[in-house]
Amino acid sequence: MDSQTSQSSPAPEPPRTFQVDLRGLVDLLSHHLYSSPKVYLRELLQNAVDAVTARRAVEPGAPARVRLYPDGADGADGAALRVEDSGIGLTESDVHELLATIGRSSKRAEGLQEARSDFLGQFGIGLLACFVVAERIRVVSRSARTPQAPPVEWTARDDGSYTVRTLPDEARPEPGTTVHLVARAGAAEWLAPERVLSLARDFGSLLPYDVRVGEEEVTDLPAPWDRPYASPANRRVALARHCQGLFGFTPLDSIDLSVPVAGIHGVAYVLPSAVSPAQRAGHRVHLKGMLLTERAEQLLPDWAFFVRCVLDTDSLRPTASREALYEDETLAAVRDALGERIRSWLTGLAAGDPERLEAFLSVHHLGVKSLARHDPEMLRTMLPWLPFETTDGRLSLEEFAQRHRVVHFTRTVEEYRQVAPIASAQGISVINGGYTYDSELVEALPSVRPGTVVAELDADTVTAHLDAVDPAEELALAGFLAAARATLDPLGCDVVLRAFHPLSVPALHLDDRAARHEQARAEAEAQADDLWAGILGSLRGSAPRSRLVLNHLNPLVRRISSLPEPELIGTATESLYGQALLMAQRPLRPADSALLNRAFIGLLEWATHGEEGR
């Protein structure tokens, strides 16, 4: 039975190989992997440079040349480009194995693994990218490992077909490779001489070999940040010129980013104007001399949003498209190292060049504040320099703390606008902590300046510092105060009578975040159904309320307090409330806007009736 089963079973089908639609794959590359057709030139340069690197690994004295000739010998068929290198070259078996196998890289070839860390490319799809701009690719190569073998030619079309043949020795006398491209329809501009030269300089200015487009030099070494200069001033001028050409702005300053132990060399340019912390700057990163990306956003810590940098590295890992950095532990370590370089630059300015530091902070204090809130040492260093808005003028935290026994601050700009004029008149100095990071830094002050007392200035604190009115006078105004309180009670606002300076301020509106939260909850309750309104009501308890503090010293308040008619007192109170809100520059709720409109109309009617009576 087993014998019969065995004899009747069909033979196993041999394994099949995938069929690749080359045109579909090129479309995938051009629309999803690569950001622009221009990467074809980077891939050509990369292959040529890697071939030279491979040859010099076995022949240290081998020539190191890469030449690009736009509109070369194949120009009769349309726009063309010829790229020649003095690299390791290919044998006929290499051509069949490497060029005709998508995804196979010569960097995996036997005998070259030990040099692989020196290669730019790692993914084996570089030459394929040329089909993004070319309809035909012709490669002529002679191997430096088997110089007795004849040159070999590989010709491929974008329909997936290719041919291989050997050539006479004179077709390629020396080891190396020549790549010929013929432009596909609509792509001729990418092979134009001026475009090839521009792209070659953009991608290859820091390559370690002799790279030229025709007779025009592409490489420009040493890099601007590594060149010797006669003086620091000359260096700053040269780097400013480099930044202008690269990024289009003249930097406020430059920061050396060289970290040799991490394989990093470069420079950071300080932006000449303030930018939002949410704006992610794009940085230029070269990998072993070849431009990898000009949009590396994750290269620096988030707080360093005030610089744009350009650097060359041999340690970071590229993504498959070689247009971005792979997020890994190495990149995290490099990010920390570069952040430390910028931090050291700041502390160096604080110690030895206060004028440059002040010029920097006048534009980019927000970035330093962002750093200082998580770095006590940086906060301690920057205490005499970081500017804050205060009732004493624009001061540093150190200056303010030296002047005042208690460092009062508000958490929001609204609160500062409410209390600052009154607090200042009462001898209380206040820091506006409402701007980004400011309240966090003020609260951290005692940790870096022992003995400093920090206190948030709220409505209760301000009210406590205002002078109470004589009890007899307040009792005489009991009717006026009752009418005023009844008018504002629906708005969740109490009325308080105090005497304070300046005399020109008739009323002060004070609230805090808890009061505003309660107002918002009350408005929600008014729009809720009965069940939800009951829940909200049960949560209210003795919630805080805002207050309108009337200034008994103000002549207008004195006249209003003597009005005989409750309705007129109500209109006047609403007017004082609205004026106090506007002076505080706080956002108006719909109920506040309605009150202002009602008070304005009431005052007009009052004035009109008064004229009629006369």
Side-chain angles (χ1 to χ4, degrees), residues 42 283-286 290-297 322-325:
R42 184 195 63 198
H283 308 290
R284 290 176 64 94
V285 177
H286 296 254
M290 182 73 74
L291 179 66
L292 177 71
T293 179
E294 50 192 350
R295 300 187 303 275
E297 296 182 349
R322 292 187 288 281
E323 294 187 295
L325 297 172

Side-chain angles (χ1 to χ4, degrees), residues 411-427:
R411 288 193 182 276
T412 69
V413 175
E414 289 176 7
E415 291 170 348
Y416 180 79
R417 288 169 178 164
Q418 288 175 13
V419 305
I422 308 305
S424 183
Q426 311 310 309

Side-chain angles (χ1 to χ4, degrees), residues 181-198:
L181 301 185
V182 176
R184 65 192 306 156
E189 62 174 300
W190 294 104
L191 275 62
E194 60 276 7
R195 177 64 67 90
V196 170
L197 178 59
S198 174

Side-chain angles (χ1 to χ4, degrees), residues 7-151:
Q7 291 175 359
S8 62
S9 298
E13 189 173 308
R16 300 177 182 269
T17 58
F18 285 102
Q19 300 299 308
V20 176
D21 179 355
L22 186 57
R23 284 178 176 162
L25 187 56
V26 169
D27 182 71
L28 180 67
L29 290 175
S30 60
H31 289 92
H32 299 285
L33 183 64
Y34 296 126
S35 62
S36 164
K38 70 180 182 180
V39 298
Y40 89 92
L41 192 69
R42 184 195 63 198
E43 300 298 338
L44 286 173
L45 281 177
Q46 183 170 283
N47 286 343
V49 169
D50 283 344
V52 171
T53 300
R55 184 176 178 186
R56 288 170 72 89
V58 295
E59 297 180 47
R65 296 188 308 271
V66 179
R67 297 289 184 268
L68 297 89
Y69 300 101
D71 289 326
D74 294 325
D77 295 328
L81 173 67
R82 184 173 87 252
V83 180
E84 298 180 355
D85 69 63
S86 59
I88 194 70
L90 300 171
T91 65
E92 184 174 358
S93 61
D94 290 336
V95 166
H96 283 289
E97 180 182 0
L98 303 175
L99 298 188
T101 306
I102 294 172
R104 182 68 60 87
S105 172
S106 63
K107 288 77 174 178
R108 300 181 180 92
E110 184 178 353
L112 297 181
Q113 282 290 342
E114 66 276 7
R116 186 176 176 187
S117 63
D118 295 325
F119 293 139
L120 301 173
Q122 305 287 334
F123 297 94
I125 56 176
L127 192 60
L128 187 64
C130 293
F131 280 119
V132 173
V133 298
E135 69 174 12
R136 187 171 82 244
I137 302 175
R138 176 171 168 257
V139 177
V140 177
S141 189
R142 185 164 196 157
S143 174
R145 288 171 289 171
T146 56
Q148 71 280 3

